[in-house]
Amino acid sequence: MKTAHVKRAFKYRFYPTDAQAAELSRTFGCVRKVYNLALAARTQAWTRQERVNYNQTSAMLTAWKKTEELAYLNDVSSVPLQQALRHLQTAFTKSRKSAEYTTSAFRFRDGKLTLAKMAEPLDIAWSRPLPEGASPSTVTVSQDAAGRWYVSLLCEDRSVQPLPATDAAVGVDVGLDHLLTLSTGEKISNPRHERPDRVRLAKAQRQLARKAKGDGANRAKARWKVAKVYARIVDRRRDHLHKLTTRLVRENQTIVIEDLAVRNMVKNGSLARAISDAAWSEFRSMLEYKAQWYGREVIAIDRWFPSSKLCSVCGTLRDKMPLSVREWTCDCGTTHDRDVNAAKNILAVGLTASVCGAGVRPQRSTPGGHSVMKQKPLRREP
Ligand SMILES: [Zn+2]
């Protein structure tokens, strides 16, 4: 197998000086302005059944900069503005507060990153090292809703190599009591400390709701508090998911999941629901890109497959399986843990993926298609 040249984004928190924060906020504003202007121009062109390409929007940018009204666009680095135009062409939605710098607009030397229009390098918290000898090709700076600053460095990572093939395969069920249940019987809980944080989040939300008609300053403070607790929960989840997905991909050749948003995971609270939905889609996307790095395969099976109602030993399908039933005994005499049984069924369906039946439409996930290995038939788990 040829060596995979994988580009990876390494994201870190950083702490701008007041001058840097002001420069970046100005840049975000200009990026947003240019993006919106170009989007409007493109939409107008559409109504005349014309298309606007990158070179045309780039020419528009030059013209805008010459007007008195938009002269302030000259004050920031032009690269993030051009990058915004490039993203417009690829229908890539930009987040509200971010700016992208290519090599001509930053300097990376001796582990210090300095952006265009800035005198000082950024004060980055290097929470993990960049790969040996890595030099970033793109740098994206962003600020989240809680006001934290992040820088993401896109680097080629030569340390990523496909792992030796293995016969192991695993099915993953998204559980009610647990975050995930594996076909091996292992149950994986939510990150520690999440429960108290959820209580804090609910409290902060109630306070925000009470201040809905109050004065602006108090409301802003309450909103800030919700954003902060929410961000902390999401961060912990992400760390947890990174460890989990790395482990699953290292240990298994094939990972079978259900193709679902989130099924019955969270019963109440729209924010709590949002966290779980985000965690699930993040879990899937992490699994898929890591599988690509390491030469593994992720199979997603149809979400309507009755994984909970089917006995994984004898194949008997039950009519009903209320959510309250956590353990049950089949007529064949097997006693099942609900979630483990579901995970086993998910695995079995995924491994017979080529035999499509019973409304199951498996999708093999082979993004890019170059570093995913061709499979020999796999053993079913006992
Ligand atoms: Zn049975």
Side-chain angles (χ1 to χ4, degrees):
M1 171 166 294
K2 69 175 194 236
T3 310
H5 288 291
V6 182
K7 285 210 168 184
R8 281 177 77 177
F10 294 82
K11 194 174 180 182
Y12 305 95
R13 208 166 158 186
F14 75 98
Y15 301 88
T17 62
D18 289 348
Q20 287 173 337
E23 177 62 36
L24 289 171
S25 297
R26 213 163 27 240
T27 306
F28 292 165
C30 291
V31 164
R32 192 84 198 143
K33 183 74 188 171
V34 166
Y35 186 84
N36 287 339
L37 285 170
L39 188 63
R42 198 174 70 160
T43 312
Q44 281 164 15
W46 266 105
T47 62
R48 299 190 300 269
Q49 302 199 324
E50 289 166 22
R51 288 182 187 240
V52 176
N53 62 26
Y54 167 73
N55 287 339
Q56 288 165 303
T57 56
S58 185
M60 287 177 198
L61 174 58
T62 307
W64 294 332
K65 283 176 162 181
K66 285 178 185 154
T67 66
E68 199 180 325
E69 200 192 339
L70 296 170
Y72 65 87
L73 295 176
N74 291 295
D75 296 346
V76 302
S77 168
S78 61
V79 171
L81 307 183
Q82 286 156 357
Q83 288 303 98
L85 298 178
R86 289 208 169 84
H87 286 314
L88 188 70
Q89 296 310 126
T90 54
F92 177 91
T93 326
K94 285 196 64 65
S95 70
R96 208 162 54 86
K97 288 181 173 178
S98 76
E100 195 177 284
Y101 297 78
T102 50
T103 42
S104 61
F106 67 83
R107 195 172 63 239
F108 185 71
R109 210 167 287 161
D110 305 324
K112 289 195 190 311
L113 177 72
T114 312
L115 300 178
K117 305 263 179 192
M118 287 185 193
E120 300 279 310
L122 297 182
D123 177 13
I124 297 173
W126 297 101
S127 46
R128 57 182 171 144
L130 281 180
E132 188 88 8
S135 67
S137 56
T138 307
V139 168
T140 307
V141 176
S142 60
Q143 193 182 22
D144 72 7
R148 299 174 304 180
W149 297 86
Y150 292 94
V151 59
S152 173
L153 298 94
L154 191 67
C155 302
E156 191 169 275
D157 189 352
R158 290 168 189 273
S159 66
V160 172
Q161 300 281 338
L163 292 166
T166 160
D167 277 348
V170 71
V172 181
D173 179 62
V174 181
L176 196 63
D177 300 337
H178 290 83
L179 180 61
L180 304 171
T181 301
L182 307 184
S183 54
T184 55
E186 184 182 343
K187 300 198 168 194
I188 296 163
S189 345
N190 283 320
R192 279 173 44 174
H193 312 296
E194 183 164 311
R195 203 176 288 261
D197 267 344
R198 282 203 185 216
V199 174
R200 273 181 213 116
L201 180 63
K203 192 177 154 206
Q205 275 186 288
R206 280 197 302 275
Q207 277 168 350
L208 176 61
R210 271 205 299 276
K211 293 197 169 72
K213 283 175 185 134
D215 69 286
N218 274 334
R219 195 165 69 227
K221 221 169 117 186
R223 187 176 299 128
W224 172 259
K225 199 163 178 191
V226 169
K228 257 179 80 174
V229 184
Y230 180 74
R232 189 164 63 215
I233 295 175
V234 170
D235 282 357
R236 284 210 181 108
R237 270 274 167 118
R238 186 171 298 131
D239 275 3
H240 193 60
L241 292 177
H242 263 303
K243 289 185 189 120
L244 262 173
T245 49
T246 299
R247 201 196 106 197
L248 287 172
V249 165
R250 284 194 170 277
E251 290 176 354
N252 297 284
Q253 189 66 39
T254 305
I255 300 137
V256 188
I257 57 174
E258 274 183 297
D259 181 18
L260 69 155
V262 162
R263 184 199 52 188
N264 298 326
M265 252 181 95
V266 183
K267 282 174 288 187
N268 50 16
S270 60
L271 253 186
R273 172 104 214 179
I275 293 167
S276 295
D277 287 0
W280 171 256
S281 62
E282 203 157 24
F283 171 75
R284 181 170 175 176
S285 108
M286 284 179 187
L287 264 188
E288 286 176 346
Y289 71 67
K290 288 179 186 179
Q292 192 190 355
W293 292 350
Y294 295 115
R296 303 307 206 205
E297 185 174 40
V298 177
I299 297 173
I301 65 162
D302 195 285
R303 61 188 297 186
W304 304 116
F305 177 73
S307 53
S308 303
K309 292 185 202 162
L310 196 66
C311 171
S312 59
V313 173
C314 71
T316 302
L317 184 64
R318 295 170 72 95
D319 292 343
K320 280 190 203 136
M321 185 57 66
L323 279 173
S324 56
V325 177
R326 308 311 304 162
E327 206 180 271
W328 55 283
T329 303
C330 179
D331 295 339
C332 73
T334 316
T335 299
H336 291 294
D337 173 283
R338 178 200 182 92
D339 298 335
V340 175
N341 178 60
K344 284 181 177 170
N345 283 325
I346 290 167
L347 174 65
V349 171
L351 293 185
T352 53
S354 53
V355 192
C356 298
V360 179
R361 294 184 301 276
Q363 310 159 358
R364 277 172 190 260
S365 166
T366 55
H370 60 274
S371 63
V372 177
M373 304 176 73
K374 280 272 172 285
Q375 300 296 306
K376 59 177 188 282
L378 287 153
R379 281 196 320 243
R380 269 184 67 156
E381 268 206 351

